[in-house]
Amino acid sequence: MSGKKGKGKAEGKGKAEKGEKKGGGGEKKEKGGGDKKDLKTCNFVKGRHILCEKHGRIQEVYNKLQDKFLNDGDPVPPSEFGQLAMEYSECPSGKRGGDLGWFPRGKMVGEFQEVAFGTPVGGCSAIFRSGEGYHIFLCEGRKAS
């Protein structure tokens, strides 16, 4: 997942595709009292992701997240997201529940970084695409340094 390879564009730049809803977005307050305008000032993000090569497979995961949490406006618990990552993710991080730990700005490919640093703490992204495949990202934290 790290590195600069992959030149695919994020589908809709993190916006929901047809039949998807953006989860966890909006101008809501984050941990630490910041708001969405503070998203660009952090240098590190902590999160989890699910990676699938096929869109149909990642859509199945996203539908489960919608049914259990997102449609009701509830945050996705990291433990639940982790269970889905262990079951569905095709990334080696899937064995760790999709846990990517803390990573700095500039470590991940452009599309992934854009979504990771643009998702509020506690928020779950819509499906997005990178050169690696299709992803869903869950933001667990952010810090300046």
Side-chain angles (χ1 to χ4, degrees):
M1 192 60 265
S2 63
K4 296 288 182 186
K5 71 177 192 171
K7 297 190 188 226
K9 290 182 116 181
E11 293 188 1
K13 300 219 180 242
K15 294 180 184 170
E17 295 180 2
K18 184 178 179 183
E20 298 171 2
K21 292 182 183 175
K22 179 84 170 176
E27 298 289 328
K28 69 181 183 181
K29 292 282 184 181
E30 301 177 48
K31 289 181 183 175
D35 58 27
K36 191 158 177 110
K37 69 182 177 192
D38 294 331
L39 294 178
K40 301 224 186 291
T41 62
C42 72
N43 295 321
F44 289 85
V45 167
K46 181 178 191 298
R48 296 174 182 267
H49 83 124
I50 299 171
L51 168 67
C52 297
E53 184 179 331
K54 303 287 185 194
H55 188 271
R57 185 167 168 90
I58 198 80
Q59 185 67 56
E60 182 179 336
V61 176
Y62 195 74
N63 290 345
K64 288 182 179 199
L65 291 170
Q66 283 182 310
D67 292 344
K68 287 180 96 174
F69 307 104
L70 301 176
N71 286 343
D72 295 328
D74 296 331
V76 177
S79 61
E80 295 279 340
F81 191 92
Q83 288 294 325
L84 289 170
M86 286 190 279
E87 184 178 345
Y88 288 92
S89 187
E90 298 165 13
C91 180
S93 69
K95 294 176 185 170
R96 299 184 310 273
D99 189 5
L100 299 172
W102 289 98
F103 57 90
R105 193 178 291 276
K107 179 170 176 139
M108 302 297 183
V109 294
E111 304 85 3
F112 193 93
Q113 176 176 283
E114 184 176 319
V115 173
F117 282 84
T119 302
V121 174
C124 182
S125 76
I127 295 170
F128 65 99
R129 186 174 184 182
S130 76
E132 308 282 330
Y134 296 93
H135 307 260
I136 301 170
F137 181 79
L138 179 72
C139 182
E140 295 183 277
R142 61 180 71 258
K143 61 185 177 180
S145 58

